[in-house]
């Protein structure tokens, strides 16, 4: 896989340009975008950068993170607070994401989305109000392990760290086996539409769209 240097700002503009001319694959009125990556990657920050690039093009955008859809502590820590397998497939409430986020954005949906459900620090419901994303709006969901769940994304971006960079920048070292499992079972570098190397967050590089770098005939903005 070949990478080309790019700035986060140019990357956001390239993705916004691509999305601005895209139609939802499921026939709905809303585009759905994944910014997938470990906590050590700047996924949340980039999701908001992408949202701003889309808003300058007149698009309504809702940014949400899987951190707002964690299960209660009693379920997350059923096998202990440092179980990597539970972290991988038991911490995020994927059912709630389907029900509260993706369901309302299906064809014929209301567009009435819950931006978050659970506060993991206070371990109680956030009670956030629903937000109505108008037709033509874009959902940008960020967090780890987003691929491989059949979520109806129209564009998937994977922020990739080498094993060494991931180990160096991950505060919770016990989670590293979960990311190794993700690589083995899902292969996000192959599954994503766009892969961004983020070993050094000051100097990202990307593959272009569909994994096509400079040799694929695309310029640094993906055109």
């Amino acid at each position: 896989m070949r990478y080309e240097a790019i700035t986060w700002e140019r990357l956001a503009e390239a993705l916004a340009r691509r999305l601005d001319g895209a139609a939802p694959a499921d026939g709905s009125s809303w585009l759905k975008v994944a910014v997938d990556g470990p906590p050590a990657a700047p996924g949340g920050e980039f999701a908001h950068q992408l949202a701003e690039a889309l808003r300058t093009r007149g698009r309504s955008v809702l940014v949400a993170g899987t951190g707002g859809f964690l299960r209660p502590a009693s379920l997350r820590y059923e096998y202990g607070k440092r179980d990597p397998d539970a972290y991988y497939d038991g911490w995020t409430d994927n059912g709630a994401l389907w029900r509260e986020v993706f369901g309302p954005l299906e064809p014929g949906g209301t567009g009435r989305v819950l931006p978050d459900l659970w506060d993991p620090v206070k371990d109680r419901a956030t009670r956030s109000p629903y937000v109505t994303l108008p037709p033509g709006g874009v959902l940008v969901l960020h967090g780890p392990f987003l691929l491989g769940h059949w979520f109806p994304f129209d564009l998937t971006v994977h922020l990739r760290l080498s094993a060494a960079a991931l180990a160096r920048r991950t505060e919770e070292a016990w989670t590293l086996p979960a990311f190794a499992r993700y690589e083995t079972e899902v292969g996000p570098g192959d599954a994503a539409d766009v892969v961004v190397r983020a070993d050094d967050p000051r100097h990202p590089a990307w593959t272009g769209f569909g994994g096509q770098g400079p040799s694929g005939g695309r310029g640094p903005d993906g055109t």
Side-chain angles (χ1 to χ4, degrees):
M1 186 177 294
R2 295 190 61 186
Y3 292 89
E4 181 174 287
I6 195 170
T7 65
W8 292 111
E9 292 78 8
R10 288 168 59 206
L11 178 61
E13 285 297 329
L15 297 179
R17 187 181 306 117
R18 173 61 67 97
L19 289 164
D20 204 31
D26 62 2
S28 71
S29 299
W30 302 274
L31 288 167
K32 279 79 72 176
V33 181
V35 178
D36 173 68
E45 295 91 330
F46 179 67
H48 284 282
Q49 279 187 289
L50 176 57
E52 285 306 310
L54 286 163
R55 290 183 182 118
T56 62
R57 294 173 174 270
R59 305 298 289 266
S60 296
V61 185
L62 173 64
V63 178
T66 57
F69 288 88
L70 297 183
R71 290 190 168 102
S74 61
L75 298 177
R76 297 199 311 275
Y77 302 149
E78 183 178 2
Y79 300 102
K81 293 186 176 182
R82 296 189 173 190
D83 185 286
D85 289 323
Y87 176 68
Y88 177 68
D89 58 17
W91 276 37
T92 302
D93 192 341
N94 291 325
L97 283 172
W98 277 107
R99 182 178 67 254
E100 303 290 358
V101 178
F102 292 109
L105 303 182
E106 291 179 345
T110 63
R112 189 169 176 264
V113 175
L114 190 65
D116 53 58
L117 177 64
W118 197 260
D119 184 330
V121 176
K122 297 180 180 178
D123 199 32
R124 67 185 185 190
T126 59
R127 300 185 180 179
S128 295
Y130 282 86
V131 175
T132 298
L133 191 62
V138 183
L139 167 72
V140 180
L141 181 66
H142 62 88
F145 314 131
L146 284 177
L147 308 182
H149 297 290
W150 300 101
F151 290 144
F153 291 119
D154 297 290
L155 180 67
T156 54
V157 182
H158 174 60
L159 305 187
R160 188 174 188 82
L161 274 71
S162 67
L166 182 63
R168 184 173 62 252
R169 291 171 50 197
T170 297
E171 295 182 3
E172 302 288 347
W174 63 269
T175 64
L176 292 174
F179 293 104
R181 181 180 168 188
Y182 188 48
E183 286 290 331
T184 299
E185 296 185 2
V186 176
D190 295 322
D193 298 311
V194 174
V195 179
V196 182
R197 188 176 63 201
D199 285 4
D200 182 346
R202 299 168 299 176
H203 302 290
W206 77 320
T207 57
F209 293 103
Q212 297 189 37
S215 63
R218 299 185 184 275
D221 63 352
T223 59

